[in-house]
Amino acid sequence: MAMKKKSPPAKAKSAGKRPSVASKGIKRVYFFGNGKAEGSADMKDLLGGKGANLADMTKVPLPVPPGFTITTETCGEYNDAKGKLPKGLMEEVRFNVAKIEKASAKTFGDVNNPLLVACRSGAKVSMPGMMDTVLNIGLNDAVVEGLSKLTGNPRFAYDSYRRLINMFGDTVKGCDHEHFEHELSAVKKARGVALDTDLNADDLKEVVARYKKVYEHHVGEAFPQDGFTQLEESIEAVFRSWMGDRAIKYRELNDIRGLRGTAVNVQSMVYGNMGDDSATGVAFTRNPSTGENIFYGEFLVNAQGEDVVAGIRTPLDCNTEMGKWSQKSWKELLAVKKTLEARYKDVQDFEFTIERGKLYMLQTRNGKRTAAAAVRIAVDFTKEKLIDETTAILRVDPASLDQLLHPTFDPKAIKNVLTRGLPASPGAAVGAIAFTAEEAERRVGAGEKIILVRRETEPADIGGMHVSEGILTSTGGMTSHAAVVARGMGTPCVAGAGGVQIDVKNRLVKIGDKTFGPTHIISINGGTGEVMEGSVPTVEASLTGPFAQIMKWADKYRTLKVRTNGDTPTDAKVARNFGAEGIGLCRTEHMFFDPERIHNMREMILATTIEARKAALAKLLPYQREDFLGIFKEMKGLPVTIRLLDPPLHEFLPHNEKDQAELAKSLNLSPEQVKNRVAQLHEANPMLGHRGDRLAITYPEILEMQVRAIIEAAIEAKKAGIKVLPEIMIPLVGTKKELDFLKKYTVETAEAVFKEKKTRVEYLYGTMIEVPRAAITAGEIAETAEFFSFGTNDLTQMTFGYSRDDVNSFLPDYLKHEILERDPFQSLDITGVGQLVKWAVDNGRKTNKDLKCGICGEHGGDPASVEFCHNVGLNYVSCSPYRVPIARLAAAHAAIKSSGKGKGYSLK
Ligand code: PEP
Ligand code: MG
């Protein structure tokens, strides 16, 4: 834990004539001090998080040095006016400085009894990318002498002054810290000392003189001696920093939007560096890494916060050391922990200073924590009756649960990040580089651990993907084949890492100026998108007791069901363990890639007569039946939606001449015949091509084989005493007539099997809604479909007209310019695609009020999309097995929020 910078002060010339309360109408400054405050804890929008909490802590009352907060709205005004402070603001500031003077019995600019202040930023959400603090405002050549006499500590006074010149010069005037540092080093060298603390008062006087020269040289004017000039310029610098590159980038990266600006907090200085009875520190009320209920803090005796940042001294652990230093302070801090948690009902991260034995609170805020800690803290706070169950549920960010579900890299490990791609499927993976899926399978078979590195993957790679530790692609977006399949498998994946150049022919990967071959080990972090050199150590994830407890509570409140997208009995099992309540999408194409099966599949595709095609399909039937039976058994009576074949047929055929020749030989065909068929199946845009229900319309015998396999497996399961609820789902439908056409074949096949087996099973016939036309004509389609499942991957692709696989070539620009707020393939575009979903649900249910509606696109595991699904009345969401807990918690959040209980609660 790093300690942060600390509190405030001020200087010279007197406050002058007492100004009256500022400009008419708008109140821009809120005072706090001596147990009273104009602001309150619920004014974070206007006063920022820090300002609102300083006001609130003052009222508790906790010992907060007096001060005031300038509103975030004022920052907005300043930036709107292209960098002009609103008229009347400085009068209001002077009026409030006078109030601090009264509360502290010190005077700003008074040589004999000076008030010094700090000036700090404070947005609504904590933003480490914002401006640094300016401390000791109010010091000048005369006041420093007064302070020296008053404290009897000239060293302290001159040290404070040189810090002000440095901080003001650097932060406010942009004169690089290095220039000051250079002078400090020169004085240390001249005195023959190594540490700043070894410099005496005279040395520091010399440092001050040198700093002033540096300032003058770089800024082009003398260091301002007027305290109000210092203060005004510091306030402006905070406002300016809101639009600085660092802050803009931070907001962009952290998805912080819609804020007007930062507040400014001006507060009377207190000093932790006044001697051995003074100290400064930071603490969390509980361990933010594990959630354990123990005080978690560090402090430094006779120090200011920056000393820690500068790494001069190592802070001490409060638990073991503070009692030895001062029993009184330690007891006070433990009492503060209790008070803060009782007041804010959450773990607090706070800063404190002890000045000559007296404790001061400088700030408090909700402490950032890991997912494991969030879960434990939420459960413990509920048990301690500080919060109720619904609040506990809302305290845990559903997306953060990912951290608990996959192994992670050891945070203490040293890593060399080579490049970054999209964090497509979370988790940590380490392995040697393989260039093809086939190579991956072979080498894993021989006992190696592999990272599959491809430009992009395709369905034929599934075997190699399955055995690999992780997948790295150089193109493709968050719903590219690699990303979707990897998430489904729970395999870590970094997709679209443009910095990775792959030379499959020579089996080389170039990243930056380094080149790697098949024997090299790399590590990928699917949660951050990092690609690292060598083997970075990992730690196993464990599902702890509090995690189970939170999920139990979530299930109590949610109304949306959560299913999983799964293609194998293993997927089904994993998902069941995570609480899945059915399978929402079984993509049958993944079942055809086993070496034996792919051969039969290819035979089917290359067949020139219907008889030959049926013969090949007959060979595939037993495999399909086995797979379905395995899934039915695992799902133990829960609904299973099976989607009939979707991808275009060319994806199942080999594309290189050697493999084509081998295939031709094994099927007694000429290589030309195979080549011609591949060419015939080639499509310029296969995503809009001969796929989905279009295949079944051309080749109904494929549908017949799959329906037969489903019904036979269901009957077999029934005979074994297992309840089954198959749902036969037709992909990519655009018109009711397509669905009617295929229903005839489906019903005929099912009836034929019932007759043969002399028994019946219930099944549903439904469709995916993936084509905008299907959504628009949902009322008609619901006359035939018994359920809808929204395939929002394709629906997004077709609504926007963005190719799922190529979107990453331009999406980053769209996000950068905020043309799109987020990747619509990750988080459902509510205003566009979402309206098609809503329209289809509403109109489908006008036709059939009991129409079962779910979603099976990737959005089913995205918390914001899950909330939308709840609000439009879907029955379930379906997502990859590893996202099931996330969706369960997100569904609970949605239910609690829509019932009004979680009103106003935000995780940010
Ligand atoms: C979809 O389009 O949302 C879907 C689930 O199908 P797939 O991703 O297999 O195209
Ligand atoms: Mg689809």
Side-chain angles (χ1 to χ4, degrees):
M1 175 176 54
M3 289 174 67
K4 282 151 267 167
K5 292 191 182 175
K6 251 194 9 168
S7 107
K11 86 130 207 186
K13 287 191 177 175
S14 138
K17 66 177 165 47
R18 282 279 151 105
S20 60
V21 184
S23 51
K24 294 164 233 126
I26 306 171
K27 180 171 174 61
R28 297 190 177 93
V29 181
Y30 287 72
F31 182 77
F32 54 86
N34 282 356
K36 292 207 181 81
E38 293 175 319
S40 57
D42 58 2
M43 290 172 73
K44 293 197 169 61
D45 277 326
L46 194 64
L47 301 182
K50 194 180 292 175
N53 283 351
L54 283 169
D56 193 69
M57 281 201 296
T58 304
K59 287 182 190 166
V60 171
L62 281 161
V64 175
F68 58 83
T69 305
I70 308 174
T71 64
T72 55
E73 182 57 34
T74 314
C75 178
E77 287 181 76
Y78 176 83
N79 284 315
D80 288 350
K82 308 242 166 340
K84 251 186 103 196
L85 289 177
K87 228 169 132 220
L89 175 69
M90 283 315 290
E91 282 72 47
E92 215 176 332
V93 165
R94 281 172 185 264
F95 179 77
N96 280 276
V97 167
K99 283 167 91 172
I100 304 181
E101 288 174 338
K102 197 160 169 232
S104 62
K106 295 176 184 172
T107 307
F108 198 52
D110 182 344
V111 174
N112 297 317
N113 183 23
L115 165 70
L116 305 182
V117 297
C119 180
R120 299 189 289 187
S121 59
K124 182 183 177 191
V125 291
S126 118
M127 277 182 53
M130 293 284 297
M131 191 197 89
D132 295 326
T133 305
V134 181
L135 302 178
N136 307 332
I137 295 171
L139 274 176
N140 62 14
D141 296 350
V143 173
V144 71
E145 279 300 320
L147 185 66
S148 167
K149 277 195 204 112
L150 187 75
T151 57
N153 191 342
R155 190 193 178 283
F156 157 74
Y158 279 93
D159 192 38
S160 302
Y161 193 24
R162 67 106 186 162
R163 287 174 198 267
L164 169 66
I165 301 166
N166 183 345
M167 278 188 263
F168 188 87
D170 178 14
T171 313
V172 180
K173 293 293 187 182
C175 168
D176 206 302
H177 172 69
E178 286 308 310
H179 302 308
F180 297 108
E181 198 57 37
H182 181 79
E183 297 303 322
L184 186 64
S185 302
V187 176
K188 282 198 282 190
K189 201 166 166 213
R191 301 294 185 275
V193 299
L195 299 176
D196 302 6
T197 42
D198 294 334
L199 296 174
N200 64 27
D202 285 338
D203 301 337
L204 287 163
K205 264 187 204 173
E206 161 86 21
V207 173
V208 165
R210 284 174 178 247
Y211 275 18
K212 280 164 68 182
K213 276 201 189 120
V214 167
Y215 183 96
E216 202 163 337
H217 177 74
H218 289 276
V219 180
E221 63 195 24
F223 178 73
Q225 294 292 302
D226 173 48
F228 278 104
T229 304
Q230 295 170 8
L231 183 56
E232 181 171 342
E233 295 211 26
S234 299
I235 291 167
E236 275 202 61
V238 175
F239 285 161
R240 269 199 311 273
S241 73
W242 177 255
M243 293 312 287
D245 291 347
R246 264 198 308 168
I248 290 175
K249 188 86 206 152
Y250 186 86
R251 290 199 290 277
E252 201 178 290
L253 291 175
N254 291 279
D255 207 15
I256 299 170
R257 291 165 211 280
L259 299 187
R260 189 77 172 106
T262 176
V264 178
N265 295 292
V266 175
Q267 198 176 12
S268 168
M269 281 295 294
V270 285
Y271 292 98
N273 57 342
M274 276 208 163
D276 286 342
D277 55 356
S278 301
T280 186
V282 296
F284 284 80
T285 54
R286 299 188 187 201
N287 185 319
S289 176
T290 63
E292 204 184 345
N293 185 7
I294 46 160
F295 193 93
Y296 186 87
E298 292 177 329
F299 72 110
L300 264 181
V301 175
N302 195 10
Q304 279 203 321
E306 320 82 86
D307 297 339
V308 184
V309 178
I312 298 166
R313 288 154 59 192
T314 313
L316 306 170
D317 182 344
C318 291
N319 283 312
T320 54
E321 304 301 324
M322 187 169 270
K324 292 183 205 157
W325 174 68
S326 162
Q327 270 299 328
K328 175 178 162 280
S329 295
W330 181 222
K331 278 197 189 128
E332 278 174 358
L333 274 180
L334 290 176
V336 161
K337 164 179 156 49
K338 261 202 156 150
T339 309
L340 289 176
E341 288 194 345
R343 179 88 175 175
Y344 300 109
K345 317 276 187 223
D346 203 350
V347 167
Q348 295 297 294
D349 160 6
F350 66 98
E351 295 183 25
F352 60 92
T353 281
I354 298 163
E355 183 184 291
R356 292 181 168 163
K358 179 161 170 35
L359 174 70
Y360 289 97
M361 296 291 293
L362 300 182
Q363 100 163 50
T364 190
R365 60 185 171 196
N366 291 345
K368 292 228 184 327
R369 63 207 75 175
T370 63
V375 166
R376 178 162 179 182
I377 289 164
V379 170
D380 285 354
F381 267 60
T382 312
K383 289 189 176 150
E384 292 163 34
K385 303 217 169 358
L386 287 164
I387 56 174
D388 61 15
E389 276 173 21
T390 52
T391 311
I393 292 166
L394 294 176
R395 283 282 166 84
V396 182
D397 178 1
S400 75
L401 293 183
D402 241 0
Q403 291 175 25
L404 303 180
L405 300 168
H406 299 272
T408 49
F409 284 114
D410 186 342
K412 289 181 236 119
I414 299 163
K415 52 187 189 178
N416 175 19
V417 178
L418 297 165
T419 188
R420 279 186 172 77
L422 298 170
S425 176
V430 178
I433 298 170
F435 294 83
T436 64
E438 194 197 21
E439 178 190 347
E441 285 191 82
R442 185 169 37 76
R443 289 174 60 188
V444 171
E448 273 188 88
K449 284 196 188 309
I450 289 297
I451 303 280
L452 178 61
V453 182
R454 306 276 289 148
R455 240 187 119 249
E456 168 58 310
T457 58
E458 53 192 29
D461 292 341
I462 197 105
M465 295 170 79
H466 195 72
V467 296
S468 296
E469 297 295 308
I471 298 155
L472 169 63
T473 67
S474 60
T475 62
M478 291 294 282
T479 53
S480 60
H481 180 265
V484 172
V485 173
R487 277 199 292 276
M489 290 173 171
T491 301
C493 173
V494 173
V500 176
Q501 289 171 35
I502 307 164
D503 177 354
V504 183
K505 209 162 139 228
N506 296 306
R507 304 181 76 214
L508 292 174
V509 173
K510 201 161 175 253
I511 310 176
D513 54 6
K514 293 199 169 172
T515 305
F516 302 92
T519 54
H520 287 112
I521 306 281
I522 55 168
S523 302
I524 60 167
N525 187 339
T528 63
E530 287 166 325
V531 180
M532 293 156 286
E533 189 171 7
S535 170
V536 179
T538 58
V539 283
E540 272 305 310
S542 71
L543 302 191
T544 55
F547 180 79
Q549 181 64 73
I550 278 282
M551 294 317 299
K552 210 166 146 195
W553 286 340
D555 289 347
K556 207 160 103 184
Y557 291 94
R558 73 184 159 96
T559 52
L560 203 57
K561 296 249 181 235
V562 177
R563 296 196 191 181
T564 193
N565 293 354
D567 315 325
T568 63
T570 314
D571 289 346
K573 195 168 175 178
V574 171
R576 284 272 291 160
N577 287 339
F578 284 143
E581 295 161 299
I583 286 192
L585 173 63
C586 171
R587 290 178 164 105
T588 49
E589 62 268 21
H590 293 159
M591 298 168 163
F592 295 117
F593 285 99
D594 181 89
E596 259 177 80
R597 301 177 184 199
I598 190 70
H599 186 77
N600 299 143
M601 187 69 180
R602 289 170 174 170
E603 189 180 345
M604 187 276 286
I605 296 168
L606 289 162
T608 47
T609 65
I610 187 158
E611 290 73 26
R613 193 155 45 243
K614 281 191 173 173
L617 284 165
K619 293 185 202 163
L620 287 168
L621 178 85
Y623 294 124
Q624 287 261 273
R625 193 173 48 220
E626 268 315 291
D627 291 334
F628 297 143
L629 186 60
I631 292 174
F632 290 150
K633 280 184 179 162
E634 281 300 339
M635 293 316 283
K636 299 189 176 73
L638 293 172
V640 176
T641 310
I642 298 168
R643 178 179 74 184
L644 304 190
L645 195 65
D646 187 10
L649 295 181
H650 77 87
E651 288 194 3
F652 298 92
L653 293 180
H655 286 87
N656 67 62
E657 282 196 7
K658 186 172 150 271
D659 292 347
Q660 285 177 357
E662 270 175 29
L663 178 63
K665 201 165 158 215
S666 69
L667 292 176
N668 243 341
L669 297 168
S670 72
E672 277 63 43
Q673 277 174 299
V674 175
K675 215 171 155 183
N676 288 344
R677 183 69 172 139
V678 171
Q680 193 187 20
L681 290 173
H682 173 80
E683 290 175 306
N685 190 347
M687 276 291 185
L688 297 179
H690 200 176
R691 56 172 286 219
D693 64 333
R694 299 158 204 171
L695 286 174
I697 285 166
T698 311
Y699 310 108
E701 51 280 6
I702 301 179
L703 173 146
E704 286 169 344
M705 182 280 284
Q706 292 201 288
V707 170
R708 174 170 280 275
I710 295 167
I711 300 294
E712 286 184 0
I715 289 174
E716 209 170 305
K718 184 182 164 190
K719 286 187 176 158
I722 301 159
K723 210 177 131 210
V724 271
L725 277 176
E727 299 173 343
I728 297 172
M729 181 157 80
I730 309 294
L732 223 70
V733 162
T735 68
K736 175 180 180 298
K737 282 201 175 159
E738 286 172 291
L739 206 58
D740 289 338
F741 181 85
L742 296 175
K743 185 170 182 184
K744 189 172 139 292
Y745 288 98
T746 304
V747 171
E748 278 173 12
T749 307
E751 289 300 325
V753 180
F754 294 156
K755 218 164 147 200
E756 283 164 29
K757 306 282 178 191
K758 298 192 180 51
T759 185
R760 303 184 69 85
V761 287
E762 289 299 313
Y763 71 95
L764 296 181
Y765 178 76
T767 184
M768 295 189 74
I769 304 286
E770 302 178 277
V771 174
R773 192 185 188 285
I776 291 164
T777 60
E780 243 177 66
I781 289 181
E783 288 167 15
T784 307
E786 291 171 290
F787 63 88
F788 284 173
S789 179
F790 291 92
T792 44
N793 300 336
D794 274 313
L795 192 58
T796 300
Q797 165 167 265
M798 291 190 224
T799 304
F800 275 96
Y802 298 162
S803 155
R804 286 161 67 169
D805 289 339
D806 307 318
V807 69
N808 209 35
S809 57
F810 59 88
L811 187 68
D813 297 329
Y814 275 57
L815 296 174
K816 190 167 111 203
H817 300 304
E818 296 194 13
I819 294 168
L820 288 175
E821 280 200 3
R822 39 188 72 88
D823 179 348
F825 289 99
Q826 278 181 58
S827 194
L828 194 74
D829 159 51
I830 288 168
T831 40
V833 181
Q835 295 315 301
L836 283 174
V837 173
K838 183 169 163 28
W839 172 273
V841 173
D842 292 347
N843 286 285
R845 287 201 179 135
K846 272 185 201 152
T847 303
N848 170 5
K849 69 175 180 19
D850 299 321
L851 185 76
K852 195 155 43 156
C853 295
I855 182 176
C856 63
E858 284 304 296
H859 306 92
D862 166 64
S865 312
V866 171
E867 183 172 350
F868 171 80
C869 293
H870 170 90
N871 291 338
V872 294
L874 294 195
N875 300 89
Y876 68 86
V877 295
S878 187
C879 55
S880 349
Y882 286 90
R883 282 191 174 179
V884 167
I886 297 170
R888 283 163 68 196
L889 187 57
H893 275 218
I896 293 166
K897 284 187 202 158
S898 68
S899 72
K901 277 197 187 151
K903 240 176 165 184
Y905 189 83
S906 154
L907 281 163
K908 285 221 168 110

